[in-house]
Amino acid sequence: MPAPVLDLVTARRWAVSARAVLAAAREQIDSLNVFPVADGDTGTNMYLTMDGALEFMRGQFEIGAGTDRLDEGLALIARGMLLAARGNSGVILSQLARGLAEAVGPHVEVAGPQELTLAFETAAQTAWDALAAPVEGTILSVARAAAEGARAAVDRGHPRDGEAAEELTVLDVVRAALERARLALAQTPSQLPALQIAGVVDAGGAGLVLVIEALEAVLEERPRPTVDDLPDWWVLPRAGATGPLPGPETGPECLAEGEDTGDVEVMYLLTDTDVQRADRLRAHLARIGSSVVVAGGPADYRVHVHLDEPRLAVEAGSFAGLVQDVRLTSLRDGQDLDAVRDAPDEAAPPAVTVVACGLGEGIEALLLEAGAQVVPSGPRRRASAGQLLAAMWASGSPHIIVLPNDADTLLVATAAAQEASREGLQVRVVPTATLVQGLAALAVLDADADPADLAQEMTEAARACSTGALTRADRDADTRVGPCRAGQWLGIVDDAIVAVHDEVAPVARVVTDLLCREGAEVLTVLTGQSARPEEVDPVLHEIEARHSGIEVVRIDGGQPTYPYLLGVE
């Protein structure tokens, strides 16, 4: 029987298999979120990353940009995964493909053990280097363990210690990487207290193990694992749980790729173009919007798309040809948005443009008013690296500052910034982990300042902002301050649950007391979709009475998931 090989056909089968496994398991991965709050979307992010990569590849083959060369094919897969990457876990997956693409030279038809090992090592090292404060017990630990297992196999030069020497294959490397990765995943609860309290393993690490298992199955030419075949760690006893984790048909609905989510209908006539550029425009619009139609040809096309930021669609069309007869219609009230359509566009772009992530009517309006280009992004609907990259190019500015405003979008923003930098833009990422930190950073925005100095000043403003949140538990769980039941209020400060109660006011008092320490000047409260301000107003009045020097600023953010987001500067 011939030894298994990792050629382009196998790599494509791996991508398809990994997508199928993540599609089946994404709800389970999402439910491994350590906080009992409905914002955990690690599994969905990893699935959408693989799904988007395959859609990207399909689009490339449709326009004749496909290839039968291993190095070029892997580069296509890596490019697609980068553009589709969502969440930190999605970026790490994309780095695995990128590492393999970079390790394989031109005119090489089969990747060997050394190339595959370099791919694991590149993915792990890139991920660790990209984060300012990497944490053990996460997908980072699992990625590093997989790389160490692969390297140990290559260094041995044969499959197993104690076995007779024989030629090492890529399957041996995968098995060694998988063995170490599984061990590292099992150890994550002992490395991260939050996981131990919740009784779960790390969600991103779990997804990575499944992806490696999919590669093993492809190389062994056996069927990929199904949900029923998932390993024992899916059913780890979790505090407050009454049974195994929910299956893919249970749990909250996830926003699927391609669902109609935009607020504006954009239509225009695209002329002076060709079939290839029109096909590329169609693929690009499908990544940033929905209900995409690019019909006509060979030189004139009618374009239709739904999205939140109409300028992105118009700018994308301008790269493909001449845009004429632009029509913008609000999908909320049907009004013709003439003011937007007729706005002058000949003004020079600012020296520095800020691209900021946010979700919620009030939040997006605030970010726009502060001078930022907004990319809709938040829990359960996080932006991809491709969407951020499109916003950077659409800004028209040579210097860009990115505010991810979400810890799980930081690595995505960094990956998009690196790609933009390779394409000639000067991009800096300010590591804002919350919306409140993003607003603090925008408060010092000076578009005429030196970009490097401005990025540093915005970073310092964000770091000076302590953050908290008030939200409801979506399931029973154990926390560091005791058990909680679904529906109870949770108080969160700096990523730690600090209070649990049936009513919001006692939780709000604990959170504000922890945040409003000596020297606090401004307490910002962002109210979300489900907020009832009268619930917390008495607590805020108490803060104002006890801290005479503090100013309380209330803002209607309209964000989902978290009824109240708080920040103190």
Side-chain angles (χ1 to χ4, degrees):
M1 181 177 179
V5 296
L6 182 51
D7 54 13
L8 185 54
V9 172
T10 306
R12 290 172 180 162
R13 288 176 55 209
W14 177 21
V16 172
S17 180
R19 177 197 177 278
V21 170
L22 291 171
R26 65 175 181 170
E27 290 294 343
Q28 284 101 321
I29 299 175
D30 287 348
S31 69
L32 293 175
N33 178 35
V34 295
F35 278 2
V37 179
D39 71 342
D41 54 2
T42 300
T44 296
N45 289 337
M46 298 180 87
Y47 162 72
L48 290 178
T49 298
M50 293 300 307
D51 186 61
L54 292 175
E55 283 299 304
F56 175 83
M57 289 177 61
R58 183 181 62 80
Q60 294 298 305
F61 274 88
E62 284 183 356
I63 64 174
T67 179
D68 292 326
R69 282 179 46 176
L70 178 60
D71 59 331
E72 293 178 348
L74 290 173
L76 274 181
I77 295 174
R79 175 70 174 174
M81 289 182 71
L82 171 65
L83 294 177
R86 286 169 167 82
N88 296 340
S89 54
V91 173
I92 293 174
L93 278 186
S94 74
Q95 293 301 330
L96 181 58
R98 174 190 164 195
L100 187 55
E102 292 179 351
V104 173
H107 310 298
V108 174
E109 296 183 359
V110 176
Q114 183 67 33
E115 288 82 8
L116 185 55
T117 297
L118 287 175
F120 279 116
E121 291 176 334
T122 298
Q125 192 61 51
T126 301
W128 278 91
D129 291 346
L131 295 179
V135 178
E136 294 282 2
T138 65
I139 186 176
L140 299 177
S141 302
V142 178
R144 183 180 60 197
E148 291 172 348
R151 175 54 62 187
V154 168
D155 289 345
R156 285 194 308 266
H158 55 86
R160 300 278 181 180
D161 287 331
E163 293 183 359
E166 57 183 78
E167 183 179 357
L168 190 74
T169 69
V170 287
L171 179 56
D172 298 320
V173 170
V174 170
R175 285 170 174 166
L178 181 56
E179 182 179 6
R180 290 281 189 96
R182 285 169 172 164
L183 289 174
L185 179 64
Q187 292 170 358
T188 55
S190 64
Q191 295 173 302
L192 205 57
L195 295 174
Q196 190 170 38
I197 292 171
V200 296
V201 294
D202 177 70
L208 181 58
V209 166
L210 286 184
V211 170
I212 301 173
E213 287 180 346
L215 177 56
E216 181 190 45
V218 167
L219 291 172
E220 291 181 344
E221 297 188 354
R222 60 177 171 81
R224 59 178 173 260
T226 66
V227 174
D228 293 337
D229 298 327
L230 293 176
D232 293 340
W233 46 261
W234 284 117
V235 290
L236 283 177
R238 177 161 55 182
T242 56
L245 298 179
E249 289 78 29
T250 64
E253 288 288 331
C254 295
L255 181 66
E257 188 82 311
E259 287 184 5
D260 195 351
T261 59
D263 287 338
V264 180
E265 179 185 61
V266 182
M267 292 184 289
Y268 56 80
L269 175 65
L270 182 70
T271 63
D272 193 24
T273 188
D274 56 35
V275 173
Q276 188 177 52
R277 284 187 288 172
D279 284 338
R280 287 175 179 165
L281 174 63
R282 183 185 296 109
H284 177 67
L285 293 178
R287 289 195 295 270
I288 66 174
S290 59
S291 298
V292 175
V293 177
V294 180
D300 300 330
Y301 292 81
R302 274 289 173 187
V303 179
H304 173 281
V305 61
H306 293 177
L307 75 175
D308 293 318
E309 181 53 61
R311 181 159 58 170
L312 297 181
V314 177
E315 291 281 356
S318 68
F319 292 131
L322 179 62
V323 175
Q324 303 178 52
D325 191 24
V326 179
R327 299 180 183 180
L328 308 180
T329 304
S330 170
L331 294 174
R332 293 176 178 241
D333 54 18
Q335 289 186 353
D336 186 16
L337 303 179
D338 292 287
V340 177
R341 184 184 65 218
D342 296 334
D345 57 3
E346 61 272 7
V352 179
T353 294
V354 174
V355 173
C357 295
L359 203 57
E361 282 190 43
I363 288 296
E364 294 180 34
L366 276 172
L367 296 174
L368 286 169
E369 185 179 339
Q373 298 281 339
V374 181
V375 177
S377 178
R380 314 297 293 179
R381 190 184 163 188
R382 290 185 164 97
S384 69
Q387 290 169 335
L388 291 178
L389 190 61
M392 294 176 198
W393 278 111
S395 72
S397 175
H399 296 281
I400 298 164
I401 292 176
V402 183
L403 304 178
N405 299 337
D406 171 31
D408 202 38
T409 304
L410 175 58
L411 207 54
V412 172
T414 301
Q418 291 171 343
E419 187 66 20
S421 297
R422 283 191 284 268
E423 296 174 3
L425 297 179
Q426 299 295 316
V427 184
R428 294 172 174 86
V429 178
V430 174
T432 50
T434 67
L435 286 167
V436 184
Q437 285 187 333
L439 294 177
L442 277 172
V444 300
L445 174 61
D446 178 0
D448 296 322
D450 177 79
D453 293 341
L454 178 58
Q456 182 60 37
E457 188 176 354
M458 295 176 78
T459 298
E460 292 172 357
R463 287 174 177 168
C465 181
S466 299
T467 61
L470 309 174
T471 189
R472 290 185 182 273
D474 73 332
R475 62 176 183 267
D476 296 349
D478 267 350
T479 76
R480 57 183 292 178
V481 292
C484 73
R485 300 186 307 277
Q488 284 190 301
W489 282 96
L490 305 175
I492 301 171
V493 173
D494 293 337
D495 295 326
I497 295 177
V498 297
V500 177
H501 201 277
D502 291 333
E503 303 295 332
V504 66
V507 171
R509 288 190 182 93
V510 173
V511 171
T512 53
D513 283 346
L514 289 172
L515 290 175
C516 297
R517 303 185 182 98
E518 183 178 354
E521 298 176 355
V522 179
L523 169 62
T524 301
V525 181
L526 291 178
T527 55
Q529 291 176 348
S530 60
R532 293 190 298 168
E534 67 275 8
E535 296 176 317
V536 298
D537 277 347
V539 178
L540 300 181
H541 292 319
E542 292 173 12
I543 289 293
E544 291 174 311
R546 293 204 313 270
H547 301 268
S548 58
I550 198 167
E551 176 188 3
V552 177
V553 178
R554 300 165 177 81
I555 299 174
D556 182 9
Q559 71 273 4
T561 305
Y562 290 94
Y564 305 94
L565 293 173
L566 300 91
V568 168
E569 303 171 55

